[in-house]
Amino acid sequence: MVNGLPASEYYAQFAYEKYAGAPGGAAAFPARQDGINLFAATVYLKQDKSFIVYYAEGTGTVRSNGYTAEIPSSRMFKRTGAWSVSGGSLKLGDLLTCKGLKVDGNDALYCTLDRAIGYADAVGKSAVFTRSTHLSPNDRQWADYQ
């Protein structure tokens, strides 16, 4: 059970097809020599159990209500895979493990980076992922992610 719902039902509510959006969040990590000190990620969960993660690393500030960052295009990554529910956790391949929580009365995710996508300094860092209004995983805003 997650926030009063069976785990599979709780996590399924974040599917892109259910609300035409994606949860996203950011986490800080110790600044590297190049100044990079945070990651920001947006996760599109699909009802077919696939996912797309748009992950970026940049220089900026993470606050409880958001983040600001300068993100070089060389630090923008797109990853895909399959998601699953294991116990009370949501697993996005071997990239992220998420748990459910409430933020201002709304269901959200608390996700931890399990494996380096960019810098290894980000591994083990966690972020609150709240629902966003990104309309599509194919929007132009994602075009630079490789």
Side-chain angles (χ1 to χ4, degrees), residues 82-136:
W83 63 271
S84 62
V85 176
S86 177
S89 297
L90 172 66
K91 299 282 292 172
L92 281 76
D94 63 350
L95 298 178
L96 291 159
T97 300
C98 305
K99 304 244 183 234
L101 79 157
K102 292 273 189 190
V103 174
D104 297 327
N106 298 308
D107 289 336
L109 303 171
Y110 184 74
C111 299
T112 302
L113 188 65
D114 295 328
R115 175 175 75 73
I117 297 174
Y119 289 134
D121 305 78
V123 174
K125 300 303 179 199
S126 300
V128 173
F129 281 53
T130 56
R131 293 179 192 223
S132 62
T133 57
H134 299 105
L135 296 179
S136 167

Side-chain angles (χ1 to χ4, degrees), residues 29-112:
F29 55 85
R32 298 183 39 87
Q33 284 186 331
D34 60 4
I36 302 291
N37 68 332
L38 64 79
F39 77 79
T42 299
V43 176
Y44 284 92
L45 298 176
K46 305 289 287 213
Q47 287 182 324
D48 68 1
K49 302 290 181 148
S50 68
F51 70 82
I52 303 170
V53 172
Y54 292 99
Y55 174 94
E57 294 172 331
T59 304
T61 305
V62 177
R63 295 174 307 283
S64 62
N65 63 347
Y67 69 96
T68 56
E70 293 290 328
I71 298 175
S73 60
S74 64
R75 306 303 315 156
M76 299 165 76
F77 307 96
K78 175 184 177 182
R79 297 293 182 264
T80 60
W83 63 271
S84 62
V85 176
S86 177
S89 297
L90 172 66
K91 299 282 292 172
L92 281 76
D94 63 350
L95 298 178
L96 291 159
T97 300
C98 305
K99 304 244 183 234
L101 79 157
K102 292 273 189 190
V103 174
D104 297 327
N106 298 308
D107 289 336
L109 303 171
Y110 184 74
C111 299
T112 302

